[in-house]
Amino acid sequence: MISEKMRPFLENNSAIRMMFEEGKKMAELYGADKVYDFSLGNPNVPAPQRVNQAIKDILDEEDSLYVHGYMSNAGYPEVREAIAANLNERFDTKFAGRNLIMTVGAGSGLNVALKTLLNPGDEVITFAPYFLEYRAYVTNYDGVLVTVEPDTETFQINREAFRVKINEKTKAVIINNPNNPTGVVYSEETIQALAAILEEKQKEYGHAIYLISDEPYRELVFDGATVPFVTKYYANTMVVYSYSKSLSLPGERIGYVLIPDELEESAMTIDAATIANRISGCVNAPSLIQLAVGRCVDCQADLAFYDRNRKTLYEGLTELGFTCVRPQGAFYLWLKVPMAKDAAEGTDLAAAEAAFVNAAKKYHILIVPGSSFACPGYVRLAYCVSYETIVNALPEFAKLGKEFL
Ligand code: PLP
């Protein structure tokens, strides 16, 4: 008999994953070029050639016992130092290798952070719409996820709604910047306001409230947007990073947790996080790809590819009359669901969204309902697809629009 804790997961198996499976079936039926699958955030840009070359060089140059062996649970010292030096150069910070724990991607990094911090019953606040795995990750450590409703004008943080959700049980707050699913980049003003509220509430309740900044899309920004480096604004911050998106390495499972010296009881927290990494069963981050990213800390994602997709999709859809948040980061577009022309009086957002997502399938368009991010009434389009998919999908969106706009 499986655990009671696992049952709800079986019942609510990820809508995004199911959509992805549906896309594969549709591609078999109609041909891959006739299916417009915007469901999964799986990068369509190949990893930079330098990463592949680094892997080959490491295999040729390094001692194979070293390359394939166990290492410190926090990762190879030279890799952590190379990443710290690169961050210091880019963000004018003062990290050392000891501030980093290499993890099995951001998913594992978030689990390490939460395992390190949470006692049963502790509350963790996040902002809708959000990456739904956060709820599962918090539940893994018997924490309680509390969500803040969005400011649907800007999809920046809803400050007043946030303030009232903080109480003596609040242990941590998770933000995701640039944001999945909205494509919004939180501005410096937003981060300053968030930090000020947290400082005030830490004083009021007399204990640390940690900010966990989930940043797998940090480098994927457009229109000259900049992503504030949160440790500079708020001391009790952990940054969770991944190379899944920035270097198109999602299957390799590599990322890190950054714990700055300024964080309360930093040394003890770093030690605890290192142990959390080990006893989560990951033991350490994968060795070969870890060494490879250590040699590629200054590698860039192919921003021009995503930017062309972003502009074509956003401009195409808004010209058709759809209302979308102009994406500034990540590779997602957030579209407001229009009510169907024949919708019955009183149709709620969730029903309107389901009708829209199902109608899209008629045109072989796969998009993810906003409910999958705790924000009904919207849909997410992952535009990390081929340019042709976007160009060929637009006439199909026009047909969909005729039913709704
Ligand atoms: N956080 C967010 C917001 C994501 O969108 C994702 C993946 O899509 C992750 C974390 C997990 O990333 P990783 O592949 O590094 O585990």
Side-chain angles (χ1 to χ4, degrees), residues 365-377:
I365 298 171
L366 294 169
I367 46 185
V368 182
S371 303
S372 294
F373 306 94
C375 188

Side-chain angles (χ1 to χ4, degrees), residues 22-45:
E22 206 170 337
K24 282 203 291 195
K25 269 191 216 135
M26 273 188 170
E28 276 165 29
L29 277 175
Y30 309 113
D33 60 329
K34 305 269 179 327
V35 178
Y36 314 105
D37 187 351
F38 295 96
S39 62
L40 201 66
N42 197 10
N44 190 267
V45 176

Side-chain angles (χ1 to χ4, degrees), residues 41 104-108 110 131 134 137 176 180 214 216-217 242 244-245 250 253 332:
V104 181
S108 173
L110 288 162
F131 179 56
Y134 290 165
Y137 296 165
N176 169 221
N180 173 11
D214 179 24
Y217 305 95
S242 163
S244 292
K245 318 289 174 167
R253 315 304 305 134
Y332 303 110

Side-chain angles (χ1 to χ4, degrees), residues 211-276:
L211 184 57
I212 301 172
S213 188
D214 179 24
E215 303 185 357
Y217 305 95
R218 162 164 283 280
E219 287 80 16
L220 303 184
V221 282
F222 314 100
D223 292 343
T226 48
V227 182
F229 205 84
V230 190
T231 59
K232 297 169 89 169
Y233 298 83
Y234 186 67
N236 280 329
T237 297
M238 291 188 186
V239 175
V240 174
Y241 183 80
S242 163
Y243 294 90
S244 292
K245 318 289 174 167
S246 61
L247 295 185
S248 298
L249 297 171
E252 296 290 353
R253 315 304 305 134
I254 187 74
Y256 59 77
V257 177
L258 171 75
I259 302 177
D261 288 340
E262 293 73 25
L263 183 128
E264 188 180 283
E265 297 176 332
S266 174
M268 196 204 288
T269 311
I270 291 170
D271 287 348
T274 305
I275 296 169

